[in-house]
Amino acid sequence: VLEKQLNAEYRAPLEIEYEKCYLRMLQPSKKKYAGMLVVEPDDEPKLCVSGLECTRRDNFPLLVDSTRRLLELVLRNADVDGALAYARETLAALERGDVPAARLTFTKGITQSLDQYKAEPPHVAVARRLCARGEPVGKGSQIQYVVCRPQYRGGDKFVGASEFCSQAHAPDVTFYSDFLRRAMKLILSQCADAASVHHALRYDVTTTVARPVKGSLLAAWGCPAVTTTTRKKRKWGTASALTGESV
C-alpha cells in the first residue's frame, strides 16, 4: 500500500520499491545499523541488527549479550536512561571481577593445518600449546581462549578455556573493559549526549589490578590479586573536552 501511494505521488521516472519498515532505528555508519523491524502491521516488531559487534559469533558472550541488551532498551523500550545505567553497571561488575571467565571467552576456528599459519594469532598460539600437550587439535577445531594478564614476564597472555584456572589466571580487565566500551559507545552515542555517555562508560574511573610476583612469598601463600578502583578528578577549564562548549 505504501509503495503504491509513494509511486502515485512521485511519478516517473522515479520509482520507489518498498523493502523494509523500521519502527525505530540506529545507524552509526553505512553498514552498521539496528532497528525494530515491522514485518506485518499486527505483529510485534523484532530487533534486526547488521554489522554491530553482537552479530559476530566469535566475540565473547558478555559483549554480545550486553550490546544486544542495550539495543533492546534503546529501540524496543525507548529507555535511554535505563541503557546508560545498564552500561555503567555492566562495566562496574567487570571491574569488580564479578564476571565469570566463561562470559569472557573468545571462540575462533582453525581453518588450516597449524604448521601452515605464518602468523600466530591468539587462537593459533593456544591451539599449538594444546597440541603440544597431546590434545587433538587441528583444522576445523574451535578454540576457546581468555585474554589474561600474565602474572610474570613471559607468561601466557592467551589462555585456553580448558587451561584456565581462577587460582592461576586472571582476565585482563583493562582489555575487556576497553573492548566493551568501544562497542557500547557506538550505540549510546547515537541516542545520548556526550557527558552522559562519558559517565555511563566509566571513563572517570581507573581500575588497577596488582598480583603477587611469581616465586615471591605472597605467591607461595596463594594470596589473591588486589583490585583498586579510583575515581578521576575531572579538570574543568574554559571549554568542555566532551562538547567543545564553554562551561
Side-chain angles (χ1 to χ4, degrees):
V1 176
L2 181 60
E3 182 179 333
K4 291 180 179 179
Q5 291 177 349
L6 290 173
N7 283 317
E9 182 176 352
Y10 302 99
R11 299 180 180 179
L14 179 65
E15 183 177 349
I16 297 176
E17 181 181 355
Y18 174 83
E19 185 174 343
K20 294 178 182 179
C21 177
Y22 291 95
L23 184 62
R24 294 189 185 93
M25 186 176 182
L26 293 176
Q27 189 170 12
S29 63
K30 183 178 180 180
K31 296 184 178 181
K32 295 182 179 182
Y33 63 87
M36 300 306 300
L37 180 63
V38 179
V39 180
E40 296 292 340
D42 297 331
D43 292 346
E44 182 75 14
K46 64 177 183 179
L47 181 63
C48 179
V49 187
S50 177
L52 296 176
E53 295 291 351
C54 59
T55 61
R56 295 191 54 170
R57 291 178 295 177
D58 58 352
N59 269 329
F60 56 99
L62 178 65
L63 176 67
V64 174
D65 295 344
S66 60
T67 51
R68 198 167 189 87
R69 177 58 180 161
L70 282 183
L71 291 171
E72 288 279 355
L73 287 168
V74 171
L75 296 173
R76 187 182 299 279
N77 303 339
D79 184 6
V80 175
D81 290 340
L84 292 168
Y86 173 80
R88 187 168 180 84
E89 177 52 36
T90 300
L91 286 166
L94 175 61
E95 292 167 357
R96 289 194 304 265
D98 294 342
V99 179
R103 302 269 290 151
L104 302 174
T105 302
F106 287 92
T107 303
K108 294 184 182 291
I110 299 297
T111 58
Q112 56 189 343
S113 175
L114 291 178
D115 57 6
Q116 292 181 320
Y117 281 95
K118 295 181 179 180
E120 192 175 67
H123 68 296
V124 174
V126 172
R128 285 173 173 167
R129 193 165 61 245
L130 295 176
C131 187
R133 295 178 182 178
E135 296 192 26
V137 177
K139 183 178 179 180
S141 298
Q142 294 294 312
I143 305 299
Q144 295 184 320
Y145 66 92
V146 181
V147 181
C148 296
R149 292 177 63 92
Q151 293 192 349
Y152 55 93
R153 183 173 297 179
D156 296 325
K157 181 176 178 63
F158 308 108
V159 179
S162 60
E163 303 173 299
F164 187 88
C165 172
S166 58
Q167 299 298 321
H169 306 104
D172 189 337
V173 173
T174 301
F175 169 84
Y176 283 105
S177 59
D178 287 347
F179 207 121
L180 200 54
R181 281 189 181 99
R182 287 195 297 270
M184 288 179 164
K185 185 178 181 181
L186 194 64
I187 297 170
L188 295 176
S189 61
Q190 300 295 304
C191 56
D193 62 89
S196 297
V197 174
H198 183 274
H199 177 71
L201 298 184
R202 294 172 63 82
Y203 285 116
D204 55 344
V205 173
T206 300
T207 300
T208 304
V209 180
R211 293 181 179 81
V213 178
K214 184 180 180 181
S216 68
L217 191 58
L218 290 176
W221 288 344
C223 294
V226 178
T227 302
T228 305
T229 301
T230 57
R231 185 172 298 277
K232 297 179 182 177
K233 292 183 179 179
R234 184 174 179 182
K235 296 181 179 179
W236 296 95
T238 56
S240 170
L242 296 174
T243 63
E245 298 173 355
S246 298
V247 293

